[in-house]
């Protein structure tokens, strides 16, 4: 065997060095004749052949696995799960799925994982305010082996996380893997993917006399008024108090509002007046106009300060809520929260650009692996991540768009037939952190925890303290100031 040969050579070398270190000269070995050398080599080959024949199958598999990992942990596409059933490790997984921790979903998936990998212990910690707390934990290094990537700059990825595979290799097998790519390497894999639309209750729509799903902000607001006039349901539930649910509106900037998959990561930061009304019921202006006008016209809950995230799931299921603006990830939770899951629907966001409704689909939070974990834990973590992505069925069960190429999508997406589904293109080379920089400088934080700016819209509309145009004027000012401070070219 190759490994035994190497071991023998190493032992011989070690013995020679040991003797030399003691200050004694090793005796010269007598020179062997040609025939003796041939006989020795032949005998060695026969021994190797006998040893190879006697080697158990499981040892051969272990050797193959070791060769695959030679020089470090294998990449995602190199990893063959069938060869690592005996891997032993204890790993920790930090995540934000507090609801799935409480209802036992996470434990059930780990139990299934342990049927195939009984010697990998997965410890889990669910964090409520994940967006903020995860960054704090990341800075201290106290988070374990696997987490979902928080809002870090791409240039810092290699500081915190292990490269999982090249973009070229990974994108051949999985969807939406370019979000956390840097210099050709991917540092994250989505646990699921989302489409951005609107949750609604089918029975409420029928009672309100809404026969066709709205396709523009104006039509949507008219339908919300019908719900208020003809039913007892809350037309649009804001989820104001939760905070992060307000930031969910940012996900519709770009593809959904203008049909441009290069806008968010490439053009947005270079745009002089991104909040200007294009005058055709599209764009960022009309995206947030839906929220402002709904609040101003009394088409939301009676007291937005008392909304409750957990209880709203059952309320939508029962028909006490007409609509909520959240990603498709929330669909399964709404279905599970009551006795009428068949009434929970998911529709494209009501915006039409040039005659087409666009759907933005992309990865949700991405798994990542601690670069500072030892190789044993890195390997066990990669095994767990690959199993979760490809074998747990978590994405499908949560109503997610498939991460695995060729995978199945839930029936809920039938309402998206006829829409064009796109995902945001990554930033241009050299501008990977530019949006983060402008977000931070302007403090608007689009798609980066900017909940407060959206809550401001609700507060202003409810009290009449500011018009929507006032808010947009202020946003434009701080956006332009950030561009000037960071010397960003204004090209649009």
């Amino acid at each position: 065997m190759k490994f035994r040969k190497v071991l023998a050579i190493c032992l011989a070398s070690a013995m020679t060095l040991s003797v030399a270190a003691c200050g004694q000269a090793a005796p010269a070995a007598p020179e062997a004749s040609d025939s003796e050398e041939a006989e020795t080599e032949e005998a060695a080959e026969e021994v190797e052949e006998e040893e190879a024949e006697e080697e158990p199958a499981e040892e051969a598999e272990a050797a193959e696995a070791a060769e695959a990992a030679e020089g470090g942990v294998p990449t995602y596409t190199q990893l063959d799960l069938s060869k690592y059933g005996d891997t032993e490790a204890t790993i920790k997984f930090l995540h934000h799925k507090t609801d799935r921790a409480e209802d036992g979903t996470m434990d059930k998936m780990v139990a299934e994982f342990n049927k195939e990998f009984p010697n990998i212990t997965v410890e889990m910690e669910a964090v409520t305010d994940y967006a903020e707390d995860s960054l704090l934990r990341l800075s201290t290094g106290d988070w374990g082996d696997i987490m979902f990537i928080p809002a870090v700059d791409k240039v810092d990825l290699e500081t915190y996380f292990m490269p999982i595979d090249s973009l070229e290799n990974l994108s051949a097998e999985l969807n939406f893997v370019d979000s956390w790519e840097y210099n050709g390497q991917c540092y994250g894999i989505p646990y699921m993917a989302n489409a951005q639309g609107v949750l609604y209750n089918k029975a409420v729509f029928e009672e309100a006399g809404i026969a066709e799903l709205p396709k523009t902000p104006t039509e949507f607001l008219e339908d919300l008024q019908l719900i208020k006039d003809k039913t007892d349901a809350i037309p649009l539930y804001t989820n104001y108090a939760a905070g992060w649910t307000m930031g969910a509106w940012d996900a519709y900037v770009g593809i959904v509002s203008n049909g441009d998959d290069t806008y968010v990561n490439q053009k947005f930061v270079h745009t002089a007046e991104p909040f200007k009304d294009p005058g055709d019921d599209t764009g960022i202006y009309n995206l947030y106009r839906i929220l402002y006008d709904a609040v101003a016209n009394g088409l939301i809950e009676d007291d937005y300060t008392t909304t409750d995230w957990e209880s709203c799931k059952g309320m939508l299921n029962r028909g006490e809520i007409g609509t909520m603006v959240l990603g498709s990830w929330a669909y399964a939770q709404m279905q599970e929260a009551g006795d009428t899951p068949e009434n929970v629907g998911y529709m494209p966001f009501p915006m039409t650009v040039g005659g087409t409704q666009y759907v933005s689909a992309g990865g949700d939070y991405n798994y990542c692996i601690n670069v500072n974990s030892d190789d044993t834990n890195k390997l066990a973590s990669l095994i767990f991540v690959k199993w979760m992505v490809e074998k747990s069925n978590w994405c499908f069960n949560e109503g997610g768009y498939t991460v695995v190429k060729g995978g199945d999508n839930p029936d809920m997406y039938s309402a998206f037939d006829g829409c064009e589904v796109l995902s945001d293109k990554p930033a241009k080379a050299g501008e990977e952190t530019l949006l983060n920089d402008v977000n931070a400088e302007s403090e608007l934080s689009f798609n980066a925890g900017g909940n407060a700016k959206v809550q401001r819209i609700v507060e202003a509309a409810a009290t009449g303290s500011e018009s929507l145009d006032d808010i947009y004027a202020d946003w434009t000012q701080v956006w332009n100031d950030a561009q000037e401070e960071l010397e960003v070219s204004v090209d649009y």
Side-chain angles (χ1 to χ4, degrees), residues 239-277:
N239 261 313
Y240 170 94
W244 61 266
T245 45
M246 292 270 80
W249 284 78
D250 289 351
Y252 305 86
V253 171
I255 289 171
V256 171
S257 63
N258 60 26
D260 186 349
D261 59 2
T262 67
Y263 183 79
V264 168
N265 293 319
Q266 297 182 17
K267 297 177 182 175
F268 191 20
V269 292
H270 296 288
T271 301
E273 296 182 83
F275 317 114
K276 184 178 180 180
D277 184 2

Side-chain angles (χ1 to χ4, degrees), residues 32-40:
S33 66
D34 290 345
S35 60
E36 287 175 329
E37 287 183 357
E39 287 175 5
T40 302

Side-chain angles (χ1 to χ4, degrees), residues 306-463:
T306 60
T307 59
D308 180 70
W309 164 241
E310 290 300 331
S311 64
C312 80
K313 301 173 188 179
M315 292 171 67
L316 188 132
N317 184 295
R318 294 188 297 270
E320 296 168 24
I321 292 172
T323 66
M324 278 195 287
V325 175
L326 285 172
S328 61
W329 59 267
Y331 174 81
Q333 296 186 39
M334 304 297 161
Q335 280 199 312
E336 295 167 3
D339 297 330
T340 54
E342 68 276 7
N343 286 338
V344 179
Y346 200 72
M347 65 180 183
F349 194 86
M351 191 86 76
T352 300
V353 182
T356 300
Q357 276 189 282
Y358 290 89
V359 176
S360 174
D364 202 295
Y365 269 119
N366 278 227
Y367 295 107
C368 63
I369 297 172
N370 195 337
V371 71
N372 295 314
S373 294
D374 61 34
D375 281 356
T376 299
N377 279 29
K378 284 178 180 177
L379 174 60
S381 297
L382 189 61
I383 290 169
F384 180 70
V385 168
K386 187 160 187 170
W387 187 91
M388 289 290 285
V389 170
E390 299 185 6
K391 303 185 75 172
S392 72
N393 217 33
W394 194 18
C395 177
F396 184 90
N397 293 339
E398 292 289 312
Y401 245 59
T402 178
V403 172
V404 179
K405 285 190 180 297
D408 294 329
N409 281 318
D411 292 339
M412 60 174 283
Y413 294 109
S414 59
F416 288 34
D417 292 346
C419 299
E420 185 165 350
V421 181
L422 301 173
S423 57
D424 289 316
K425 301 292 186 184
K428 294 179 180 179
E431 294 190 350
E432 291 87 354
T433 68
L434 195 55
L435 179 56
N436 281 353
D437 295 341
V438 174
N439 263 332
E441 183 69 27
S442 66
E443 298 184 357
L444 293 177
S445 298
F446 286 94
N447 288 309
N451 313 325
K453 73 174 183 302
V454 187
Q455 287 178 315
R456 174 184 175 184
I457 291 174
V458 174
E459 295 160 5
T463 62

Side-chain angles (χ1 to χ4, degrees), residues 1 4 45-61:
M1 285 282 304
R4 292 178 185 170
E45 288 175 1
E46 287 177 0
V47 170
E48 283 186 17
E49 287 175 3
E50 289 174 3
E51 289 177 340
E53 289 173 2
E54 293 172 359
E55 183 181 48
E58 57 267 22
E59 190 174 325
E61 289 180 3

